[in-house]
Amino acid sequence: MPDTLSSLYPGAIRPKLASGQANLLRAFQQAVGRSHVLTAEADTLPYRRGYRTGDGPVLAVVRPASLVELWRVAERAVACGCVLIVQAANTGLTGGSTPDGRYDRPVVLISTLRITNFWLIQDNRQVVCLPGTTLDKLESALKQHGREPHSVIGSSCLGASVIGGICNNSGGALVQRGPAYTEMALFGQVGADGVLRLVNHLGIHLGNEPEEILHRLDTGNFLERDVSADAGRGHDDGYASRVRDIESDEPARYNADPGRLFEASGCAGHLVVFAVRVDTFPSEPDPTVFYVGTNNPHTLETLRRRILGHLSALPIAGEYMHRDAFDIADHYGKDTVIAIERLGTARLPQLFAMKTKVDRLSQRFPFLPNGLSDRILQWAAAFFPDHLPRRLRDYRDRFEHHLMLKVSGALADETEQLLSGVLAHDDGAFFRCIGSEGSKAFLNRFACAGAAVRFRAVHPESVEDIVPLDIALRRNDMDWFERLPPELDKPCLHKLYYGHFLCHVMHQDYIVRKETDCRAFEERLLEILVRRGARYPAEHNVGTLYQAPPAQQAHFGRLDPCNCLNPGTGKTSKFIRCDPVVV
C-alpha cells in the first residue's frame, strides 16, 4: 500500500500499513494457517461476489477456525486501518456481506463458515450460536428436543447463518415470530479511537480477558450457573400482538424499525459478532397445510383479515405466490426443489460449493459461457419427472393468486370452517393438502428467489438484470396487489410477486429487458411505494441496494464511529470517518 495514503488520515484511526501488506498477510497466515488466507482472484471470487449482487476487490479472504483466531485476525486488520467485512454463508440478496466496488482502504473479508459450534442452554429453550452456525444445522439438532430455531425453511435451505439473520433483523415465513432479534450478544466494537474491544452482553460469565472469554465459548467451557436467566430478550416477543393489529397504518415489521435495532440486532456488519444468544420455539408435531386459489386479490385480503382478526391462534405460516412466480419457480427452480427433497438442506452448501467450482473453472476458458453451472443444472432438470402434484398444477391453471396456509393440527378444523365461510361467497377455492402436497407447495414457493437468478443466468441476451424489492405494506392496506403503470410494465420480462402474506411482507422481483436503466426503473418503483405508505426493505436489509433512513444510519454510526466495519451499507459513505460519531 502506498505510503501516501497514510498521510491522508490524521490521528489514531489512520491506516497503519506502513510495514506493508506482505507483513499483514503473514500475520494472518500465522493466526489461521497459510491455506486459509486466500489472495488469488479465482480463490476469493466465491466470497467477494454476492449471491445476487455485489462484487469488489479484496486484499485477502481469511477463514478462521475459532473465535480466538477470528479475534486475532480482526484485531490486526483494524489496527492496520483496513476495511473489515465479516461474512457467513453469503446468501444475502441485497449485497450486504460482500464488497461493493472500491474503497479508500484495503478490504479484508473474514469468512466464518469454519466456526460452527453452538451450545444449547436453559433446558434447550435457548441456544448460543457462533458465527458459522447455520439455521439448517441448528434445526436438525433441535428437532430431537421437539424445538425449532427462529426460521425453519426458506433461508435455511441456502445454509444461511443464525448470526447473519440477527445482524440484519431478517424476517421469515413463520407468522408468530417476527424479525430475528436478540438483546444478548458477544461482539467486537471499534471505538472512536480506532481500537477493537470485546463487549460481553451474552449474560454468561466467561472471564475478563478477550482471549479467555472467546476460548471458553469456543469450547463450551461454562456451566449453567454462569448463565443469567434475565439478561435480555431472545426474540421479538411482541410480534404476535403487533401482526394481529390489522387496523394499523404501520407495517408489522421492516429492517429499519427503530424498536428492533439493538447492538448486534440490525448492526448490518458494523460490529464483529462472535456469538448471539437466542430463544428456541416448540415445534408443531402435526401441522396441516391448506392450499387456496383465487382470481381476486381482495378475496385474499379478506381472508388475511379474518385469519388475523378471528382465529383463536395464529397460523404457523401464510405464503403467497402469484401465478407468474409459480411458473418461474416451477421451470427454473425445479432442480432446487428436487435437490432438497432427495438430499435434504444439509447437502445444499456442498452443492453450491461444487457449482462455484464449475463457474470458476469456466472463467478460465473464454470459449465457455458465463453461468455454466446454471446452464448445466437447467438442462439436467428437464430429464427428471414432474416434481409438482396434480392438484397444484390444476390450481395454477384455474387461479392467478395462490396462498399456502400452514396451521397447527389443533387449529385445522377451525381454519377449514373459516376458509369455507369466506370462499363460499367470494371467487376462490381451497383444499386440505395430503401426502407431500403441502411440503412441495412450500418448496416451490421458496425456490422462487433462486429461480429468478437462474433465469437471468441462462438468458443473458435478453435480461439486463433483476431489480429485487422486499417491501412491508401497511397492516391496514386493502389494495395490496401492485398494478404498474404502462411505462414501468413495458420494460419487464417478468414480474414475480411472492411473500409472507399474513405479515404483509412482499417480495417483488422485476426481471427487466436488455438496455433498461435499472437504477431509474427502481427509483420510480420506490416513489410509488412511498406514496403507498410502504417501508423497504422489509427483511433482507439495506445491503448495498437501498438507502438507509436516518434512524438506521444513526444506529450504524453509533456502533461503528470510524466507519471501519462493512462501510457503505445503506448507500452510506465507504470512507474512513475522521470526525467519528460520539457514542
Side-chain angles (χ1 to χ4, degrees), residues 17-43:
L17 282 174
S19 57
Q21 294 177 357
N23 288 341
L24 181 61
L25 295 177
R26 279 194 291 272
F28 291 160
Q29 291 169 353
Q30 291 172 359
V32 305
R34 182 179 296 272
S35 63
H36 295 294
V37 180
L38 311 179
T39 56
E41 186 172 341
D43 294 336

Side-chain angles (χ1 to χ4, degrees), residues 323-346:
R323 177 191 282 153
D324 293 345
F326 183 109
D327 290 345
I328 292 292
D330 176 22
H331 188 64
Y332 294 94
K334 180 179 179 180
D335 58 297
T336 299
V337 173
I338 292 171
I340 293 171
E341 281 188 315
R342 301 194 179 189
L343 301 177
T345 56

Side-chain angles (χ1 to χ4, degrees), residues 77-94:
V78 169
C80 288
C82 295
V83 164
L84 186 61
I85 299 176
V86 182
Q87 176 195 95
N90 192 16
T91 59
L93 299 181
T94 59

